[in-house]
Amino acid sequence: MYKGRYIYQKLPPGQITKSTVIVLTSGLVGYTFLELLGGSENFYNKGAMPLVHRFIDGEKSHRWAVRAASWGLLPRWGWNRKEYPELHCVLFGRDIKNPVGLAAGFDKNGDAIESLAEVSGLGMVEIGSVTPIPQPGNNRPRVFRLLEDEGVINRYGFNSDGVGRVQQRVRTARDSWRSDWALLGVNLGKNKMSEDALHDYEIGINYFAPHCDYLVLNISSPNTPGLRSMQKKSDLEKLLLHAKKALDLHQLEKRPQMFLKIAPDLIESELKDIAQVVSNPKFGIDGLIISNTTISRPTSLRSENKDESGGLSGKPVGHLSTECIRTMYKLTEGKVVIIGCGGIASGQDAYDKIRAGASLVQLYTAIVFQGFPVIGKVKRELVQLLRRDGFANVSEAVGADHRSGGSKNP
């Protein structure tokens, strides 16, 4: 005992306190690291994400999340990595390990393609929107969290590194691609100052068609002036014919599917026009992504940021996008593949869109509020709902609400 006291007396002043702080800090860092990689939903929901919301603004946290994903700092075990036979599906002759994908807007420039495709547990990863020429997008601030409403308003305005730099990242990722990774999609946009939108989309097709599983023509972002007007029937027909011709010229053995991403704010006559166009094989559209962000503002919004201009995503757009899916499935008689997007933060949200007519679903804003473990949560809960209702596979549930009584069998 006497020797111990003697040793402590010889230590420099404050050494014991300093050592204690180092040990505790190291333990806390180690614990946090393990929880982050372990994908603890409780840790993210009650610890990590509230701290991010309090101390880091929306755009900076978005950049950090993409950087973390690019470094592979994604949940490495737990629910995210678990796959279920009920969720395996085949679409356009392609095997998809599960129908839960990442929507465009998160990894705009393809910085984290390989990690997202390999480690995240997603069935599909969509990057972009990518514009032909690099552009900075709109002025900051341009991202606003609506914490009370679990929504986000953004007015990024297609900030993009341009097709050249993004294509290099895509090609690098594809060089090491494995069959059990997620499908890769590239979302294409037009430059803000461009006067020839058709040419802009043609450039995107030429750069990415040989290197991805599907392409998306994004004509529904509210943050690029005049873009949404391309959803009008005459303009849409011109665009799709031009895009199909550009894609046909590549004569690819493995042709990427072509999707059209539409807004949730279209009126019934506009939806009917779009349904008529995309149902016609001559326009070369394989499917729809429903939907983009909304310019509407539900009266239920409580956040002080609710009046910011831009596109609203997350929980507030969920019902609107689901009803748009329901309408388009009915108008196309279920013959056009639909990817459901908007307000998916749980298995129930995904299930609602699948039953309304979506074959696949995408999320993004849910990651803002729940972190990456939301991917595993959605898959797990979706499987539970499928089993409860007697569906052996998710494909059996697609469009179930349109069948008599919403039963399992047509």
Side-chain angles (χ1 to χ4, degrees):
M1 192 65 161
Y2 175 82
K3 182 183 289 187
R5 270 202 310 269
Y6 178 78
I7 293 173
Y8 283 123
Q9 289 172 358
K10 291 293 184 178
L11 291 173
Q15 183 65 39
I16 295 176
T17 301
K18 183 179 179 181
S19 299
T20 302
V21 169
I22 291 173
V23 170
L24 291 175
T25 301
S26 299
L28 180 60
V29 170
Y31 167 76
T32 300
F33 189 72
L34 288 175
E35 288 292 291
L36 288 171
L37 292 185
S40 167
E41 293 171 22
N42 191 54
F43 176 79
Y44 274 82
N45 290 335
K46 295 184 178 180
M49 302 318 295
L51 285 174
V52 169
H53 297 158
R54 183 171 183 178
F55 296 109
I56 308 174
D57 69 64
E59 182 161 354
K60 184 178 291 184
S61 64
H62 181 185
R63 290 200 307 270
W64 286 13
V66 174
R67 188 170 300 170
S70 71
W71 292 339
L73 299 179
L74 297 167
R76 292 276 174 164
W77 55 87
W79 293 109
N80 273 38
R81 303 304 303 278
K82 183 172 176 58
E83 299 296 342
Y84 308 83
E86 293 93 337
L87 296 186
H88 175 267
C89 44
V90 178
L91 208 59
F92 305 115
R94 300 175 189 269
D95 283 302
I96 307 174
K97 58 187 177 182
N98 69 73
V100 181
L102 179 66
F106 176 75
D107 189 6
K108 291 175 176 288
N109 294 307
D111 292 302
I113 297 173
E114 291 182 67
S115 293
L116 289 170
E118 180 185 13
V119 182
S120 67
L122 292 161
M124 55 192 296
V125 172
E126 186 175 316
I127 66 168
S129 295
V130 187
T131 58
I133 300 172
Q135 62 179 28
N138 295 323
N139 295 329
R140 300 177 184 176
R142 52 192 182 180
V143 182
F144 306 90
R145 300 189 193 101
L146 282 63
L147 296 179
E148 300 88 343
D149 308 297
E150 295 181 49
V152 170
I153 292 175
N154 92 81
R155 49 173 182 264
Y156 270 119
F158 285 170
N159 52 315
S160 173
D161 284 351
V163 294
R165 291 170 66 184
V166 177
Q167 189 211 49
Q168 290 178 356
R169 296 173 190 137
V170 169
R171 293 182 67 175
T172 298
R174 293 298 261 187
D175 285 343
S176 57
W177 211 261
R178 294 208 314 260
S179 60
D180 60 341
W181 288 11
L183 295 188
L184 176 63
V186 180
N187 187 297
L188 305 176
K190 67 176 286 291
N191 282 111
K192 182 177 182 178
M193 303 308 294
S194 173
E195 296 181 359
D196 189 349
L198 272 60
H199 184 59
D200 278 17
Y201 288 104
E202 179 184 352
I203 291 172
I205 291 168
N206 290 339
Y207 268 78
F208 294 107
H211 311 296
C212 65
D213 297 304
Y214 70 95
L215 292 163
V216 182
L217 302 177
N218 184 356
I219 57 171
S220 51
S221 170
N223 301 316
T224 296
L227 186 68
R228 283 194 167 194
S229 66
M230 297 183 70
Q231 295 174 113
K232 293 179 180 178
K233 188 175 183 181
S234 58
D235 291 337
L236 181 60
E237 289 177 337
K238 292 176 184 176
L239 170 64
L240 299 188
L241 286 173
H242 192 84
K244 183 178 184 300
K245 182 180 179 181
L247 185 55
D248 287 344
L249 287 173
H250 284 273
Q251 297 182 332
L252 296 168
E253 182 179 348
K254 289 187 177 180
R255 177 191 176 105
Q257 268 58 56
M258 185 85 79
F259 283 80
L260 180 71
K261 188 166 187 174
I262 65 174
D265 309 307
L266 299 167
I267 61 176
E268 186 175 356
S269 61
E270 292 172 321
L271 292 175
K272 286 181 178 178
D273 285 343
I274 292 174
Q276 184 180 14
V277 172
V278 300
S279 297
N280 190 332
K282 80 173 187 178
F283 294 105
I285 287 296
D286 299 293
L288 293 167
I289 297 183
I290 306 175
S291 66
N292 213 315
T293 57
T294 179
I295 56 175
S296 67
R297 296 293 183 267
T299 56
S300 60
L301 294 179
R302 295 174 294 158
S303 171
E304 62 181 11
N305 291 324
K306 65 183 180 180
D307 294 322
E308 292 289 345
S309 63
L312 172 65
S313 63
K315 187 175 180 179
V317 78
H319 179 71
L320 187 62
S321 68
T322 300
E323 290 310 304
C324 191
I325 291 167
R326 194 182 311 280
T327 299
M328 291 303 288
Y329 185 86
K330 192 179 300 183
L331 290 172
T332 60
E333 300 178 346
K335 296 177 181 178
V336 176
V337 172
I338 295 174
I339 298 176
C341 182
I344 296 176
S346 68
Q348 185 66 59
D349 297 330
Y351 193 46
D352 290 344
K353 284 178 167 51
I354 289 167
R355 291 185 64 101
S359 297
L360 307 168
V361 294
Q362 293 178 329
L363 54 79
Y364 167 18
T365 302
I367 295 174
V368 174
F369 294 97
Q370 299 183 46
F372 290 109
V374 72
I375 297 165
K377 172 191 169 185
V378 169
K379 292 193 295 183
R380 181 183 73 245
E381 293 178 350
L382 178 56
V383 169
Q384 292 169 353
L385 291 166
L386 291 170
R387 291 173 179 171
R388 181 198 69 185
D389 292 345
F391 293 110
N393 186 269
V394 65
S395 59
E396 295 179 359
V398 175
D401 287 348
H402 300 268
R403 300 192 283 271
S404 177
S407 62
K408 171 183 171 182
N409 297 311

